[in-house]
Amino acid sequence: MKRGRKAEPPASKAARGTLQPCRDDSKIEIIVADDPLRMPDYLTAEAELVWEEEHGRVMATGNSETDSSLFARYCSLEAMIRKAFASGEPPPAAYLTEARRMAELLGIAGRKSRVASGGVVDGGKTSNPFKRNGNRPR
């Protein structure tokens, strides 16, 4: 990966009017649909309840329709875990581990989901005192 500022996508340059075809013709822009998550037909009633509970949190993290199948698998697995706890038995450890991994991928659990704000604390100042190290003021 090259050092320095990362190139902007051609669409944002075209919107600003600074697109230079001699520089930007070879760049390929991958467009991801921003459609909301779609609930698949195969979910059980318990998994649909989990879908309804978690849907808002998952959408708030920026997930889109392309993540629907992962979220559906997470809901099915979470429903099985809840069913095991309700019956008085502990669920298999593999279920718990995989549910945690899926939740981290979806951005609704784990350390990464808590630091996604970039370390901004009250007052709007970042909590990282070394943020400007190596950058000269302009």
mmCIF file with all atom_site columns, all heavy atoms in Angstrom, residues 107-126:
data_model
loop_
_atom_site.group_PDB
_atom_site.id
_atom_site.type_symbol
_atom_site.label_atom_id
_atom_site.label_alt_id
_atom_site.label_comp_id
_atom_site.label_asym_id
_atom_site.label_entity_id
_atom_site.label_seq_id
_atom_site.pdbx_PDB_ins_code
_atom_site.Cartn_x
_atom_site.Cartn_y
_atom_site.Cartn_z
_atom_site.occupancy
_atom_site.B_iso_or_equiv
_atom_site.pdbx_formal_charge
_atom_site.auth_seq_id
_atom_site.auth_comp_id
_atom_site.auth_asym_id
_atom_site.auth_atom_id
_atom_site.pdbx_PDB_model_num
ATOM 1   N N   . GLY A 1 107 ? -20.594 -5.965 13.787 1.00 0.00 ? 107 GLY A N   1
ATOM 2   C CA  . GLY A 1 107 ? -20.326 -4.704 14.471 1.00 0.00 ? 107 GLY A CA  1
ATOM 3   C C   . GLY A 1 107 ? -21.242 -4.428 15.642 1.00 0.00 ? 107 GLY A C   1
ATOM 4   O O   . GLY A 1 107 ? -21.393 -3.285 16.049 1.00 0.00 ? 107 GLY A O   1
ATOM 5   N N   . ILE A 1 108 ? -21.856 -5.464 16.207 1.00 0.00 ? 108 ILE A N   1
ATOM 6   C CA  . ILE A 1 108 ? -22.778 -5.240 17.321 1.00 0.00 ? 108 ILE A CA  1
ATOM 7   C C   . ILE A 1 108 ? -22.229 -5.762 18.640 1.00 0.00 ? 108 ILE A C   1
ATOM 8   O O   . ILE A 1 108 ? -22.906 -5.678 19.657 1.00 0.00 ? 108 ILE A O   1
ATOM 9   C CB  . ILE A 1 108 ? -24.159 -5.870 17.043 1.00 0.00 ? 108 ILE A CB  1
ATOM 10  C CG1 . ILE A 1 108 ? -24.042 -7.362 16.769 1.00 0.00 ? 108 ILE A CG1 1
ATOM 11  C CG2 . ILE A 1 108 ? -24.851 -5.156 15.919 1.00 0.00 ? 108 ILE A CG2 1
ATOM 12  C CD1 . ILE A 1 108 ? -25.366 -8.074 16.625 1.00 0.00 ? 108 ILE A CD1 1
ATOM 13  N N   . ALA A 1 109 ? -21.036 -6.288 18.643 1.00 0.00 ? 109 ALA A N   1
ATOM 14  C CA  . ALA A 1 109 ? -20.441 -6.777 19.888 1.00 0.00 ? 109 ALA A CA  1
ATOM 15  C C   . ALA A 1 109 ? -18.928 -6.732 19.770 1.00 0.00 ? 109 ALA A C   1
ATOM 16  O O   . ALA A 1 109 ? -18.371 -6.622 18.681 1.00 0.00 ? 109 ALA A O   1
ATOM 17  C CB  . ALA A 1 109 ? -20.892 -8.207 20.164 1.00 0.00 ? 109 ALA A CB  1
ATOM 18  N N   . GLY A 1 110 ? -18.295 -6.809 20.903 1.00 0.00 ? 110 GLY A N   1
ATOM 19  C CA  . GLY A 1 110 ? -16.843 -6.846 20.909 1.00 0.00 ? 110 GLY A CA  1
ATOM 20  C C   . GLY A 1 110 ? -16.220 -5.471 21.027 1.00 0.00 ? 110 GLY A C   1
ATOM 21  O O   . GLY A 1 110 ? -16.888 -4.443 20.991 1.00 0.00 ? 110 GLY A O   1
ATOM 22  N N   . ARG A 1 111 ? -14.929 -5.470 21.166 1.00 0.00 ? 111 ARG A N   1
ATOM 23  C CA  . ARG A 1 111 ? -14.192 -4.236 21.399 1.00 0.00 ? 111 ARG A CA  1
ATOM 24  C C   . ARG A 1 111 ? -14.259 -3.282 20.220 1.00 0.00 ? 111 ARG A C   1
ATOM 25  O O   . ARG A 1 111 ? -14.366 -2.073 20.376 1.00 0.00 ? 111 ARG A O   1
ATOM 26  C CB  . ARG A 1 111 ? -12.741 -4.602 21.695 1.00 0.00 ? 111 ARG A CB  1
ATOM 27  C CG  . ARG A 1 111 ? -12.010 -3.516 22.384 1.00 0.00 ? 111 ARG A CG  1
ATOM 28  C CD  . ARG A 1 111 ? -10.649 -3.974 22.783 1.00 0.00 ? 111 ARG A CD  1
ATOM 29  N NE  . ARG A 1 111 ? -9.750  -2.978 22.242 1.00 0.00 ? 111 ARG A NE  1
ATOM 30  C CZ  . ARG A 1 111 ? -8.520  -3.180 21.922 1.00 0.00 ? 111 ARG A CZ  1
ATOM 31  N NH1 . ARG A 1 111 ? -7.998  -4.355 22.069 1.00 0.00 ? 111 ARG A NH1 1
ATOM 32  N NH2 . ARG A 1 111 ? -7.782  -2.222 21.452 1.00 0.00 ? 111 ARG A NH2 1
ATOM 33  N N   . LYS A 1 112 ? -14.207 -3.807 19.005 1.00 0.00 ? 112 LYS A N   1
ATOM 34  C CA  . LYS A 1 112 ? -14.232 -2.944 17.827 1.00 0.00 ? 112 LYS A CA  1
ATOM 35  C C   . LYS A 1 112 ? -15.525 -2.149 17.729 1.00 0.00 ? 112 LYS A C   1
ATOM 36  O O   . LYS A 1 112 ? -15.525 -1.028 17.257 1.00 0.00 ? 112 LYS A O   1
ATOM 37  C CB  . LYS A 1 112 ? -14.043 -3.766 16.552 1.00 0.00 ? 112 LYS A CB  1
ATOM 38  C CG  . LYS A 1 112 ? -12.643 -4.246 16.362 1.00 0.00 ? 112 LYS A CG  1
ATOM 39  C CD  . LYS A 1 112 ? -12.502 -4.950 15.039 1.00 0.00 ? 112 LYS A CD  1
ATOM 40  C CE  . LYS A 1 112 ? -11.090 -5.426 14.835 1.00 0.00 ? 112 LYS A CE  1
ATOM 41  N NZ  . LYS A 1 112 ? -10.924 -6.129 13.583 1.00 0.00 ? 112 LYS A NZ  1
ATOM 42  N N   . SER A 1 113 ? -16.630 -2.727 18.159 1.00 0.00 ? 113 SER A N   1
ATOM 43  C CA  . SER A 1 113 ? -17.898 -2.002 18.073 1.00 0.00 ? 113 SER A CA  1
ATOM 44  C C   . SER A 1 113 ? -17.950 -0.854 19.071 1.00 0.00 ? 113 SER A C   1
ATOM 45  O O   . SER A 1 113 ? -18.664 0.112  18.863 1.00 0.00 ? 113 SER A O   1
ATOM 46  C CB  . SER A 1 113 ? -19.072 -2.950 18.311 1.00 0.00 ? 113 SER A CB  1
ATOM 47  O OG  . SER A 1 113 ? -19.055 -3.441 19.639 1.00 0.00 ? 113 SER A OG  1
ATOM 48  N N   . ARG A 1 114 ? -17.186 -0.949 20.157 1.00 0.00 ? 114 ARG A N   1
ATOM 49  C CA  . ARG A 1 114 ? -17.185 0.124  21.155 1.00 0.00 ? 114 ARG A CA  1
ATOM 50  C C   . ARG A 1 114 ? -16.228 1.245  20.808 1.00 0.00 ? 114 ARG A C   1
ATOM 51  O O   . ARG A 1 114 ? -16.401 2.357  21.266 1.00 0.00 ? 114 ARG A O   1
ATOM 52  C CB  . ARG A 1 114 ? -16.839 -0.446 22.522 1.00 0.00 ? 114 ARG A CB  1
ATOM 53  C CG  . ARG A 1 114 ? -17.944 -1.319 23.078 1.00 0.00 ? 114 ARG A CG  1
ATOM 54  C CD  . ARG A 1 114 ? -17.689 -1.694 24.510 1.00 0.00 ? 114 ARG A CD  1
ATOM 55  N NE  . ARG A 1 114 ? -16.516 -2.527 24.692 1.00 0.00 ? 114 ARG A NE  1
ATOM 56  C CZ  . ARG A 1 114 ? -16.508 -3.841 24.634 1.00 0.00 ? 114 ARG A CZ  1
ATOM 57  N NH1 . ARG A 1 114 ? -17.616 -4.482 24.382 1.00 0.00 ? 114 ARG A NH1 1
ATOM 58  N NH2 . ARG A 1 114 ? -15.409 -4.521 24.823 1.00 0.00 ? 114 ARG A NH2 1
ATOM 59  N N   . VAL A 1 115 ? -15.215 0.982  20.001 1.00 0.00 ? 115 VAL A N   1
ATOM 60  C CA  . VAL A 1 115 ? -14.256 2.023  19.645 1.00 0.00 ? 115 VAL A CA  1
ATOM 61  C C   . VAL A 1 115 ? -14.459 2.519  18.228 1.00 0.00 ? 115 VAL A C   1
ATOM 62  O O   . VAL A 1 115 ? -13.621 3.195  17.681 1.00 0.00 ? 115 VAL A O   1
ATOM 63  C CB  . VAL A 1 115 ? -12.797 1.557  19.832 1.00 0.00 ? 115 VAL A CB  1
ATOM 64  C CG1 . VAL A 1 115 ? -12.499 1.291  21.269 1.00 0.00 ? 115 VAL A CG1 1
ATOM 65  C CG2 . VAL A 1 115 ? -12.493 0.357  18.965 1.00 0.00 ? 115 VAL A CG2 1
ATOM 66  N N   . ALA A 1 116 ? -15.592 2.221  17.645 1.00 0.00 ? 116 ALA A N   1
ATOM 67  C CA  . ALA A 1 116 ? -15.859 2.635  16.269 1.00 0.00 ? 116 ALA A CA  1
ATOM 68  C C   . ALA A 1 116 ? -15.999 4.137  16.133 1.00 0.00 ? 116 ALA A C   1
ATOM 69  O O   . ALA A 1 116 ? -15.882 4.684  15.055 1.00 0.00 ? 116 ALA A O   1
ATOM 70  C CB  . ALA A 1 116 ? -17.122 1.953  15.750 1.00 0.00 ? 116 ALA A CB  1
ATOM 71  N N   . SER A 1 117 ? -16.237 4.844  17.236 1.00 0.00 ? 117 SER A N   1
ATOM 72  C CA  . SER A 1 117 ? -16.401 6.291  17.167 1.00 0.00 ? 117 SER A CA  1
ATOM 73  C C   . SER A 1 117 ? -15.077 7.007  16.981 1.00 0.00 ? 117 SER A C   1
ATOM 74  O O   . SER A 1 117 ? -15.055 8.218  16.832 1.00 0.00 ? 117 SER A O   1
ATOM 75  C CB  . SER A 1 117 ? -17.081 6.798  18.440 1.00 0.00 ? 117 SER A CB  1
ATOM 76  O OG  . SER A 1 117 ? -16.249 6.545  19.552 1.00 0.00 ? 117 SER A OG  1
ATOM 77  N N   . GLY A 1 118 ? -13.960 6.302  16.998 1.00 0.00 ? 118 GLY A N   1
ATOM 78  C CA  . GLY A 1 118 ? -12.662 6.934  16.793 1.00 0.00 ? 118 GLY A CA  1
ATOM 79  C C   . GLY A 1 118 ? -12.100 7.545  18.055 1.00 0.00 ? 118 GLY A C   1
ATOM 80  O O   . GLY A 1 118 ? -11.201 8.362  18.013 1.00 0.00 ? 118 GLY A O   1
ATOM 81  N N   . GLY A 1 119 ? -12.580 7.132  19.208 1.00 0.00 ? 119 GLY A N   1
ATOM 82  C CA  . GLY A 1 119 ? -12.053 7.630  20.459 1.00 0.00 ? 119 GLY A CA  1
ATOM 83  C C   . GLY A 1 119 ? -12.580 8.993  20.845 1.00 0.00 ? 119 GLY A C   1
ATOM 84  O O   . GLY A 1 119 ? -11.983 9.676  21.651 1.00 0.00 ? 119 GLY A O   1
ATOM 85  N N   . VAL A 1 120 ? -13.683 9.429  20.277 1.00 0.00 ? 120 VAL A N   1
ATOM 86  C CA  . VAL A 1 120 ? -14.229 10.739 20.607 1.00 0.00 ? 120 VAL A CA  1
ATOM 87  C C   . VAL A 1 120 ? -14.914 10.656 21.974 1.00 0.00 ? 120 VAL A C   1
ATOM 88  O O   . VAL A 1 120 ? -15.709 9.764  22.223 1.00 0.00 ? 120 VAL A O   1
ATOM 89  C CB  . VAL A 1 120 ? -15.229 11.215 19.535 1.00 0.00 ? 120 VAL A CB  1
ATOM 90  C CG1 . VAL A 1 120 ? -15.865 12.508 19.938 1.00 0.00 ? 120 VAL A CG1 1
ATOM 91  C CG2 . VAL A 1 120 ? -14.522 11.359 18.210 1.00 0.00 ? 120 VAL A CG2 1
ATOM 92  N N   . VAL A 1 121 ? -14.561 11.563 22.839 1.00 0.00 ? 121 VAL A N   1
ATOM 93  C CA  . VAL A 1 121 ? -15.154 11.613 24.168 1.00 0.00 ? 121 VAL A CA  1
ATOM 94  C C   . VAL A 1 121 ? -15.977 12.884 24.295 1.00 0.00 ? 121 VAL A C   1
ATOM 95  O O   . VAL A 1 121 ? -16.094 13.654 23.360 1.00 0.00 ? 121 VAL A O   1
ATOM 96  C CB  . VAL A 1 121 ? -14.062 11.555 25.270 1.00 0.00 ? 121 VAL A CB  1
ATOM 97  C CG1 . VAL A 1 121 ? -13.387 10.217 25.257 1.00 0.00 ? 121 VAL A CG1 1
ATOM 98  C CG2 . VAL A 1 121 ? -13.055 12.660 25.091 1.00 0.00 ? 121 VAL A CG2 1
ATOM 99  N N   . ASP A 1 122 ? -16.514 13.136 25.457 1.00 0.00 ? 122 ASP A N   1
ATOM 100 C CA  . ASP A 1 122 ? -17.340 14.328 25.675 1.00 0.00 ? 122 ASP A CA  1
ATOM 101 C C   . ASP A 1 122 ? -16.567 15.586 25.310 1.00 0.00 ? 122 ASP A C   1
ATOM 102 O O   . ASP A 1 122 ? -15.399 15.727 25.615 1.00 0.00 ? 122 ASP A O   1
ATOM 103 C CB  . ASP A 1 122 ? -17.778 14.410 27.134 1.00 0.00 ? 122 ASP A CB  1
ATOM 104 C CG  . ASP A 1 122 ? -18.670 13.250 27.505 1.00 0.00 ? 122 ASP A CG  1
ATOM 105 O OD1 . ASP A 1 122 ? -19.312 12.695 26.591 1.00 0.00 ? 122 ASP A OD1 1
ATOM 106 O OD2 . ASP A 1 122 ? -18.724 12.896 28.691 1.00 0.00 ? 122 ASP A OD2 1
ATOM 107 N N   . GLY A 1 123 ? -17.221 16.510 24.674 1.00 0.00 ? 123 GLY A N   1
ATOM 108 C CA  . GLY A 1 123 ? -16.589 17.760 24.297 1.00 0.00 ? 123 GLY A CA  1
ATOM 109 C C   . GLY A 1 123 ? -16.050 17.745 22.885 1.00 0.00 ? 123 GLY A C   1
ATOM 110 O O   . GLY A 1 123 ? -15.564 18.754 22.394 1.00 0.00 ? 123 GLY A O   1
ATOM 111 N N   . GLY A 1 124 ? -16.099 16.617 22.185 1.00 0.00 ? 124 GLY A N   1
ATOM 112 C CA  . GLY A 1 124 ? -15.679 16.563 20.794 1.00 0.00 ? 124 GLY A CA  1
ATOM 113 C C   . GLY A 1 124 ? -14.192 16.370 20.578 1.00 0.00 ? 124 GLY A C   1
ATOM 114 O O   . GLY A 1 124 ? -13.747 16.233 19.458 1.00 0.00 ? 124 GLY A O   1
ATOM 115 N N   . LYS A 1 125 ? -13.378 16.360 21.624 1.00 0.00 ? 125 LYS A N   1
ATOM 116 C CA  . LYS A 1 125 ? -11.941 16.153 21.455 1.00 0.00 ? 125 LYS A CA  1
ATOM 117 C C   . LYS A 1 125 ? -11.661 14.653 21.452 1.00 0.00 ? 125 LYS A C   1
ATOM 118 O O   . LYS A 1 125 ? -12.303 13.895 22.168 1.00 0.00 ? 125 LYS A O   1
ATOM 119 C CB  . LYS A 1 125 ? -11.158 16.822 22.577 1.00 0.00 ? 125 LYS A CB  1
ATOM 120 C CG  . LYS A 1 125 ? -11.292 18.326 22.586 1.00 0.00 ? 125 LYS A CG  1
ATOM 121 C CD  . LYS A 1 125 ? -10.444 18.903 23.670 1.00 0.00 ? 125 LYS A CD  1
ATOM 122 C CE  . LYS A 1 125 ? -9.234  19.505 23.016 1.00 0.00 ? 125 LYS A CE  1
ATOM 123 N NZ  . LYS A 1 125 ? -8.301  20.084 23.969 1.00 0.00 ? 125 LYS A NZ  1
ATOM 124 N N   . THR A 1 126 ? -10.679 14.243 20.657 1.00 0.00 ? 126 THR A N   1
ATOM 125 C CA  . THR A 1 126 ? -10.341 12.826 20.622 1.00 0.00 ? 126 THR A CA  1
ATOM 126 C C   . THR A 1 126 ? -9.526  12.477 21.856 1.00 0.00 ? 126 THR A C   1
ATOM 127 O O   . THR A 1 126 ? -8.809  13.305 22.401 1.00 0.00 ? 126 THR A O   1
ATOM 128 C CB  . THR A 1 126 ? -9.534  12.474 19.368 1.00 0.00 ? 126 THR A CB  1
ATOM 129 O OG1 . THR A 1 126 ? -8.329  13.217 19.383 1.00 0.00 ? 126 THR A OG1 1
ATOM 130 C CG2 . THR A 1 126 ? -10.312 12.747 18.117 1.00 0.00 ? 126 THR A CG2 1
#
